[in-house]
Amino acid sequence: MSKLLLSTAAVLMLAAPAFAEDMKCNVPDQTTWMSQEDLTTMYVEQGYEVKNIKIDKGCYEIYGINDKGERVEIYVDPVTGEPVKSGS
């Protein structure tokens, strides 16, 4: 499962500039959101070094370093922590 998530994240990172402006996560109730601490733990366990997390257009946006030492920017669903492509 984590290999699939890492592969998905890698693909999304390459496409991030193309869809970042259209990015929207439709979860207005922040009480249902995963905590930033849990999100950090989730990505650290997958081999990322999380530098910063912010909220952008209703998504969490993770800035960090992947297991290859490359800088990454990942937009994730705030409830599940899964990478997202764009809002519909």
Side-chain angles (χ1 to χ4, degrees):
M1 167 90 177
S2 65
K3 287 184 181 183
L4 174 62
L5 183 59
L6 288 174
S7 297
T8 302
V11 169
L12 291 173
M13 287 180 286
L14 294 174
F19 65 79
E21 290 186 22
D22 295 329
M23 185 67 57
K24 288 185 184 176
C25 294
N26 296 317
V27 187
D29 183 5
Q30 288 190 348
T31 63
T32 64
W33 288 24
M34 173 182 270
S35 72
Q36 289 189 16
E37 292 80 17
D38 289 344
L39 186 63
T40 298
T41 299
M42 179 179 170
Y43 277 83
V44 166
E45 288 174 353
Q46 295 174 27
Y48 291 90
E49 180 182 343
V50 176
K51 298 288 189 177
N52 189 29
I53 297 175
K54 72 175 195 173
I55 297 170
D56 185 21
K57 297 182 182 175
C59 297
Y60 275 133
E61 185 175 8
I62 301 173
Y63 295 92
I65 308 292
N66 67 14
D67 60 350
K68 296 177 184 166
E70 301 164 329
R71 296 172 85 179
V72 296
E73 180 179 339
I74 309 168
Y75 290 86
V76 301
D77 182 283
V79 175
T80 66
E82 297 294 319
V84 295
K85 289 185 179 180
S86 65
S88 42

